[in-house]
Amino acid sequence: MEKKIRVLVAKPGLDGHDRGAKVVARALRDAGMEVIYSGLHQTAEQIVRTAIQEDVDVIGLSLLSGAHMTLFLDVIKLLKKHKMNNVIVVGGGIIPEEDVPRLKKEGVAEIFGPGTPTDEIVDFIKKNVKQ
Amino acid sequence: MTNNFVNGVLKGDPLSIARVITMIENNHEKAIPIIKTLHRHTGKAHIIGITGVMGSGKSSLIYELAKKYREKNKKIGIIAIDPTSPFSGGALLGDRIRMMNLADDENVFIRSMGTRGMLGGLTSAVYDTINILDAAGKDIIMVETVGVGQAEVDIVKIADTTLVVLVPGLGDSIQTIKAGIMEIGDIFVVNKADRPGVEQTIAELKTMLDLTRIVTERETPIITTIARERKGIDELINEIEKHKKYLKKNNMFEEKRRKRYETELVEIIKRKLTSLIFDETNLKEKIQSLTDQILKKEIDPHTAAEEILTRVIK
């Protein structure tokens, strides 16, 4: 059996800055993963529904608008509601230091800020996906 | 476990559908009994293949078709295939970008898939994925192939109705794709018809179809669309329905299905045979040592292959 890691890269809410999400998507692809990029302006419901249909192991959320406390946590809540407990959620974008502990406490596995080497994200995902 | 998944799929539960597809993609042995049980629940869906050159707007077209079919209360399954990198094994599956708002509708199930080494514009998991969506009660299943050149024509073996999507202004594009792809379209779509050169594209297409057409009573329709402005979608759906009726009237529907099952059967045999040979322990070492011998001209590749095969198949 050959298991392939599947990742959904999504941009929640009203934020059109997708360069970072695209760079990460490419890096994950080059690391041998299947990356579903779902485009801009997604609601938490759309993201979770997509994650279910695509049966992903990881959701990568990118947000630069400041609404991460609401939108990231909405995604986490919906995942719990659908009993998708084995899906890892990671975040990136502009996330202030002081918000990180709360996000992690609520279930975001890791936050990768600007300047993170993509290898670091690849390694984290490979290490943390439950096989 | 098998029963839970079977019941889940038959009820149309998205999580069950998704999990079984993943098992199939990963060649998980537990998927096989599930698929076996589902078979007798399949056969109701209309399978539409959508193929065409890169950037012709296949995803946007599927999005508009899906929305229209939803207005008619049809349940939709969409399989969107993108190429897997032969080097990294990874894939960027981006067809959902054009179908974004369908994620609001629980009666639309979209699955993005990488080709995972399969040529022909499809993935080997596509047969079972179609069967899963069919058993889950989807009325319409649309399969989007990777952007095609000449050889990616396998879609015709699995779809009831095949759409070939072209765009104007590619110059001699029709010339370049005439060999395979011009022979598989049940309906031709010239999308992005607000671009210059539509008339010329249609004229070229007509000439080409006249040259390749096998004499039948049915003339292959050419539909012009502008997917992003929702133009031509009604006409296209109309032609798809007409094609389905045509197939049914001439007993060709059954025939198409038969062909698909035959292809599927052969594919499964091929896959099993390949894994039978390559899962054999020590084969890697054997291949390496034989390759060394080939390099030193101690043996030729054909004899080496025969040696391996006689070892495995007794």
Side-chain angles (χ1 to χ4, degrees), chain B residues 30-298:
Chain B
K30 280 182 181 147
I32 305 301
I34 302 169
I35 285 296
K36 284 182 180 172
T37 321
L38 288 177
H39 175 74
R40 60 191 180 84
H41 298 280
T42 62
K44 293 181 283 280
H46 183 188
I47 300 155
I48 304 170
I50 293 100
T51 187
V53 291
M54 271 177 281
S56 55
K58 295 186 290 295
S59 304
S60 303
L61 212 51
I62 288 175
Y63 174 60
E64 294 303 332
L65 286 172
K67 279 200 302 189
K68 267 279 169 335
Y69 274 122
R70 284 301 298 138
E71 285 172 17
K72 297 170 196 278
N73 222 1
K74 303 275 189 203
K75 290 183 181 149
I76 315 280
I78 297 170
I79 304 169
I81 305 170
D82 272 326
T84 295
S85 157
F87 304 107
S88 72
L92 199 49
L93 313 173
D95 293 319
R96 268 185 182 268
I97 300 171
R98 312 265 175 256
M99 309 178 189
M100 220 166 349
N101 292 327
L102 294 176
D104 285 325
D105 189 339
E106 58 183 359
N107 284 309
V108 181
F109 188 101
I110 308 173
R111 181 67 172 230
S112 317
M113 302 177 100
T115 51
R116 298 200 184 183
M118 175 107 156
L119 300 173
L122 299 173
T123 157
S124 61
V126 77
Y127 299 95
D128 286 330
T129 304
I130 287 175
N131 290 335
I132 293 162
L133 291 172
D134 192 343
K138 304 298 176 202
D139 304 299
I140 305 282
I141 298 171
M142 292 191 259
V143 182
E144 176 181 352
T145 73
V146 302
V148 294
Q150 292 184 317
E152 293 86 351
V153 296
D154 283 355
I155 185 69
V156 73
K157 294 179 199 153
I158 62 170
D160 302 319
T161 304
T162 301
L163 312 186
V164 173
V165 187
L166 303 167
V167 282
L170 287 178
D172 267 346
S173 67
I174 293 170
Q175 285 288 345
T176 61
I177 58 170
K178 64 186 170 185
I181 199 169
M182 294 306 283
E183 295 156 45
I184 64 165
D186 296 308
I187 299 167
F188 282 84
V189 183
V190 180
N191 192 31
K192 304 190 183 180
D194 48 346
R195 288 195 181 173
V198 192
E199 291 80 12
Q200 197 197 339
T201 305
I202 293 172
E204 284 175 2
L205 199 48
K206 275 192 177 143
T207 317
M208 201 60 71
L209 287 172
D210 280 341
L211 291 175
T212 54
R213 175 147 42 115
I214 309 148
V215 186
T216 55
E217 55 182 275
R218 183 176 178 272
E219 200 175 325
T220 312
I222 302 168
I223 308 290
T224 51
T225 55
I226 309 171
R228 311 225 60 180
E229 294 174 20
R230 290 169 205 172
K231 285 191 181 138
I233 306 300
D234 284 325
E235 290 85 342
L236 181 54
I237 288 205
N238 202 8
E239 283 301 336
I240 294 171
E241 294 308 309
K242 258 165 71 184
H243 181 249
K244 188 181 173 183
K245 276 188 201 130
Y246 166 78
L247 290 177
K248 292 237 157 143
K249 202 180 97 195
N250 296 287
N251 294 323
M252 287 159 76
F253 204 74
E254 281 287 302
E255 208 177 292
K256 281 224 175 195
R257 286 292 155 97
R258 201 177 181 285
K259 211 167 208 148
R260 173 156 71 89
Y261 287 135
E262 190 187 326
T263 316
E264 191 175 339
L265 176 60
V266 172
E267 279 300 322
I268 293 171
I269 295 170
K270 273 193 209 161
R271 232 183 304 153
K272 289 219 180 233
L273 211 57
T274 314
S275 66
L276 198 71
I277 295 163
F278 284 92
D279 291 353
E280 170 92 344
T281 42
N282 305 330
L283 187 69
K284 263 198 186 135
E285 290 82 22
K286 188 74 189 157
I287 286 180
Q288 289 314 317
S289 76
L290 281 170
T291 309
D292 288 335
Q293 289 180 46
I294 295 168
L295 197 63
K296 288 184 216 143
K297 312 281 172 194
E298 290 167 8

Side-chain angles (χ1 to χ4, degrees), chain A residues 25-93:
Chain A
R26 238 193 108 157
L28 299 181
R29 178 199 68 184
D30 291 342
M33 300 176 199
E34 284 187 348
V35 185
I36 295 109
Y37 180 58
S38 61
L40 299 170
H41 309 316
Q42 299 269 285
T43 64
E45 285 80 8
Q46 287 175 330
I47 290 168
V48 172
R49 185 164 279 151
T50 300
I52 291 172
Q53 293 180 354
E54 300 287 358
D55 196 17
V56 293
D57 307 288
V58 183
I59 300 177
L61 297 171
S62 162
L63 197 61
L64 293 82
S65 75
H68 48 273
M69 293 312 271
T70 316
L71 292 167
F72 283 15
L73 297 184
D74 280 353
V75 169
I76 298 269
K77 256 181 250 160
L78 279 170
L79 283 175
K80 279 184 185 147
K81 190 181 142 199
H82 290 282
K83 300 194 174 65
M84 305 274 290
N85 305 320
N86 49 351
V87 176
I88 299 167
V89 178
V90 294

